[in-house]
Amino acid sequence: MTVLKAAVVGCGDVSAVHLQAISDLPGARLAAVCDTDPARLGAASSAYGVPGFAEHISLIETVRPDVVHIATPHNTHASIAADCLERGVNVIVEKPLAHTLEEGRRLVQAAKASSAKIAVCFQNRYNATSQAMHQMIHSGELGKVVGASATVLWHRNADYYRNRPWRGSWAAGGGGLMMNQAIHTVDLLQWLVGDVVSLAGNSSTRALGDTIEVEDTAEFLAEHANGSRSLFYASLANSINAPITLDIVTEEATLSLRGDLTVTHIDGRREVIAEMKRDPQKEVPTGGRAYWGLSHELLIKDFYTRIGDPEPFWINPDEALKSLVIVKELYRQSYPTRLETVS
């Protein structure tokens, strides 16, 4: 078996998922880590016994990794990924694709021009429930999609942003709730229901205005290419991280996601598809964020398995650009005088 050398750029919160996934893969070996923060870099380098770099180009030229995992602030995703692709290094980059549309489109072109592969972490597509919904809807067995709705009702407090100030800024985050949390559900909505051709909505700051400049609440009505309509509402002002809801109505059934998936057919039949659960005896390497689930690891494993395939990875920059376009259109409507929110 060929063992691929991996490197992780960005040693913040979500890097724990990537580091654990690499450790669990027999076909991967962690070769280096990178971070601009000396404390985070030193902790990761010591914990995994690998060299640490303060700059990703030096890492690439010294270690020559086969795969680079990018878990940095949003405004660095596209530039680091493009640097890797230009050097023939495969990439797994956290969502969003980029913090601006311009950077996102540049990365789409960089991916097309490179011999290397790139995946964008919209890992919720790997959920057992998401896979089941996609198969049922796109097989045609449930008839045409009539409409859909989705909610993301989570909780974030001021300390969440004070600990990582980039999250609350337009310049580094490219947005707030919609770019950092709800974009996963936006991605699922358009992947399951169909391409969004128009939307009307608004985003605003309702609970954290004294801490952040970006939005913590948003809503929109979207029209899809197949003629169906979807409603979306999200907020970080909830008291808890409630389960994401996603309801899709078709001619033959209603699909309701509430952790597990319940499919209610028009003839009265009901079936439940259970979501994958993490073994409670297994330590969760995500700082207690068990709601992140198992799908990150599934995406990473799948990417390594497919590196030798001739076609691009299926969740690539072209796919990831779709959700970024939706979010930026919402910002365009909400902040018409802020050019940086939509560029």
Side-chain angles (χ1 to χ4, degrees), residues 11-184:
C11 299
D13 295 343
V14 76
S15 68
V17 180
H18 293 265
L19 291 162
Q20 184 66 41
I22 293 166
S23 297
D24 290 343
L25 277 175
R29 175 179 65 84
L30 184 67
V33 292
C34 177
D35 201 291
T36 57
D37 182 272
R40 286 200 299 267
L41 179 61
S45 176
S46 176
Y48 289 90
V50 296
F53 295 80
E55 196 272 329
H56 67 279
I57 297 295
S58 296
L59 183 155
I60 294 169
E61 292 179 348
T62 303
V63 177
R64 302 203 176 275
D66 299 296
V67 184
V68 167
H69 297 238
I70 301 171
T72 56
H74 299 166
N75 62 329
T76 62
H77 285 186
S79 59
I80 297 174
D83 286 342
C84 293
L85 293 172
E86 288 166 7
R87 290 162 176 79
V89 178
N90 300 292
V91 173
I92 299 176
V93 61
E94 274 296 328
K95 57 73 193 159
L97 178 66
H99 73 304
T100 68
L101 281 176
E102 180 182 4
E103 286 286 277
R105 289 173 175 140
R106 184 170 80 89
L107 187 51
V108 167
Q109 294 307 311
K112 291 177 178 177
S114 176
S115 60
K117 279 189 172 1
I118 176 171
V120 185
C121 287
F122 283 111
Q123 71 277 357
N124 289 348
R125 293 192 187 190
Y126 282 82
N127 293 351
T129 50
S130 302
Q131 290 285 312
M133 293 173 84
H134 192 271
Q135 190 280 326
M136 291 179 185
I137 291 167
H138 290 270
S139 70
E141 65 186 271
L142 300 181
K144 294 180 181 178
V145 174
V146 176
S149 63
T151 67
V152 181
L153 301 177
W154 281 7
H155 174 77
R156 293 293 184 273
N157 58 27
D159 285 343
Y160 171 82
Y161 292 97
R162 293 187 185 119
N163 292 337
R164 299 284 192 275
W166 68 267
R167 293 168 171 161
S169 75
W170 289 111
L177 155 75
M178 293 301 295
M179 288 285 275
N180 207 24
Q181 288 89 19
I183 196 167
H184 281 295

Side-chain angles (χ1 to χ4, degrees), residues 170-201:
W170 289 111
L177 155 75
M178 293 301 295
M179 288 285 275
N180 207 24
Q181 288 89 19
I183 196 167
H184 281 295
T185 308
V186 171
D187 175 69
L188 281 184
L189 190 65
Q190 64 82 28
W191 181 57
L192 293 170
V193 178
D195 289 347
V196 171
V197 294
S198 67
L199 68 83

Side-chain angles (χ1 to χ4, degrees), residues 133 137 145 147-149 189 192-193 246-250 253-256:
M133 293 173 84
I137 291 167
V145 174
S149 63
L189 190 65
L192 293 170
V193 178
L246 179 55
D247 295 321
I248 299 177
V249 179
T250 74
T254 298
L255 300 89
S256 296

